[in-house]
């Protein structure tokens, strides 16, 4: 009976300081872990999420899919000897509707175009798994370009009147040739001219964070280059499937 009592007591203590996080559909959470254990895992929405080391502490990234139902979910942390639970309240996102008109070759794709689009997507996804040493102090960040947000993230996109996937980026309207600045220090992981995205650059900032810039007029860096926060690495453009710079 005494052993059973101790087990129950430890379990209660692990959950006594549970934290409730709040996020909307489409958000990304950066969560400080309750333990620095090397074998720590985090599970939310029925799947495991990445944990990174930052200044000797574990940090987890959790993404909330646009189609995640608005309700409260359990965050489960676990290591070999302990486990904890936090809560995540997901609220409904407020997403805009976006209509664009483009030439037919940018809305209806033949097999060759689809093959290139898939290859482009795989190249971008590869950068998400590339480990980069971090020199950043979180959460300092600057805007890459000053301008009008012409299409926000997650807007329901209609191309030539037909529904397409939700907008996966954030469009900032600015004059062509406007310098693009690194929002954080990082390493250039990808420089490529893509079918839908035009000239594209991906920068790894460490701790699992990668930022991607598309529809550029010109890339001013090469893969492997290192950037300080505020460095100019590209120019705003209107390339790929774009209706303006």
């Amino acid at each position: 009976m005494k052993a059973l009592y101790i087990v129950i007591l430890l379990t209660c203590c692990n959950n006594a300081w549970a934290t409730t996080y709040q996020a909307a559909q489409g958000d990304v959470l950066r969560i400080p872990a309750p333990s620095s254990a090397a074998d720590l895992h985090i599970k939310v929405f029925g799947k495991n999420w990445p944990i990174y080391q930052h200044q000797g502490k574990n940090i987890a990234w959790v993404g909330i899919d646009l189609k995640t139902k608005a309700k409260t979910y359990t965050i489960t942390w676990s290591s070999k000897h302990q486990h904890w639970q936090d809560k995540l309240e997901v609220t409904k996102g407020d997403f805009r509707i976006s209509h664009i008109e483009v030439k037919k070759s940018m809305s209806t794709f033949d097999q060759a175009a689809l093959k290139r689009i898939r290859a482009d997507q795989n190249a971008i996804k590869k950068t998400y798994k590339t480990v980069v040493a971090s020199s950043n102090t979180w959460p300092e960040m600057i805007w890459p370009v000053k301008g009008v947000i012409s299409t926000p993230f997650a807007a329901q996109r209609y191309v030539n009147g037909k529904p397409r996937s939700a907008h996966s980026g954030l469009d900032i309207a600015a004059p062509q040739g406007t310098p693009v600045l690194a929002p954080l220090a990082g390493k250039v992981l990808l420089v490529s001219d893509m079918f839908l995205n035009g000239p594209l650059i991906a920068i790894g900032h460490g701790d699992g964070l990668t930022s991607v810039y598309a529809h550029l007029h010109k890339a001013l860096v090469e893969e492997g280059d290192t950037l300080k926060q505020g460095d100019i690495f590209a120019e705003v453009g209107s390339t790929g499937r774009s209706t303006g710079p």
Side-chain angles (χ1 to χ4, degrees):
M1 190 68 181
K2 182 178 180 181
L4 178 60
Y5 174 76
I6 292 174
V7 171
I8 293 174
L9 178 63
L10 286 174
T11 302
C12 291
C13 288
N14 283 342
N15 289 305
W17 304 104
T19 301
T20 299
Y21 297 93
Q22 294 181 326
Q25 296 165 327
D27 282 352
V28 176
L29 287 177
R30 183 178 183 273
I31 306 175
S35 166
S36 58
D39 63 341
L40 186 67
H41 299 278
I42 178 174
K43 192 169 187 176
V44 197
F45 310 128
K47 64 179 289 186
N48 293 316
W49 295 87
I51 294 178
Y52 296 87
Q53 279 274 324
H54 180 70
Q55 296 180 349
K57 297 180 180 179
N58 283 329
I59 302 293
W61 291 105
V62 176
I64 295 86
D65 191 274
L66 295 171
K67 297 180 180 179
T68 300
K69 290 184 179 180
K71 64 177 186 178
T72 300
Y73 296 84
T74 298
I75 300 173
T76 301
W77 305 89
S78 61
S79 63
K80 185 176 181 180
H81 300 292
Q82 292 179 293
H83 75 274
W84 305 259
Q85 287 187 342
D86 290 326
K87 296 296 182 182
L88 171 56
E89 293 180 358
V90 176
T91 58
K92 187 173 177 59
D94 183 16
F95 306 125
R96 223 174 71 185
I97 295 177
S98 170
H99 292 267
I100 63 171
E101 296 290 329
V102 297
K103 56 187 179 181
K104 188 176 180 180
S105 62
M106 284 293 168
S107 64
T108 304
F109 311 120
D110 57 22
Q111 289 301 311
L114 287 172
K115 183 178 179 180
R116 184 178 174 191
I117 291 168
R118 293 189 188 105
D120 290 345
Q121 291 173 339
N122 288 334
I124 296 171
K125 289 178 180 179
K126 184 178 178 180
T127 69
Y128 301 159
K129 299 180 180 180
T130 303
V131 177
V132 176
S134 175
S135 60
N136 293 297
T137 301
W138 303 92
E140 296 177 0
M141 200 170 191
I142 63 174
W143 284 90
V145 173
K146 292 182 179 180
V148 176
I149 297 176
S150 55
T151 307
F153 169 73
Q156 175 57 59
R157 171 70 41 101
Y158 287 80
V159 180
N160 294 354
K162 295 182 179 181
R164 294 290 186 264
S165 299
H167 194 234
S168 61
L170 179 75
D171 288 346
I172 305 174
Q176 180 159 308
T178 299
V180 185
L181 313 181
L184 293 165
K187 180 179 179 180
V188 179
L189 302 178
L190 178 65
V191 178
S192 180
D193 191 357
M194 299 191 169
F195 185 82
L196 291 176
N197 295 311
L200 175 143
I201 295 175
I203 303 173
H205 303 288
D207 293 344
L209 179 64
T210 302
S211 59
V212 180
Y213 308 84
H215 310 300
L216 300 170
H217 174 61
K218 185 187 297 184
L220 304 177
V221 291
E222 298 179 350
E223 292 180 14
D225 286 352
T226 56
L227 299 171
K228 299 188 297 294
Q229 185 181 49
D231 281 352
I232 297 172
F233 65 88
E235 295 177 358
V236 170
S238 182
T239 53
R241 187 162 74 183
S242 170
T243 58

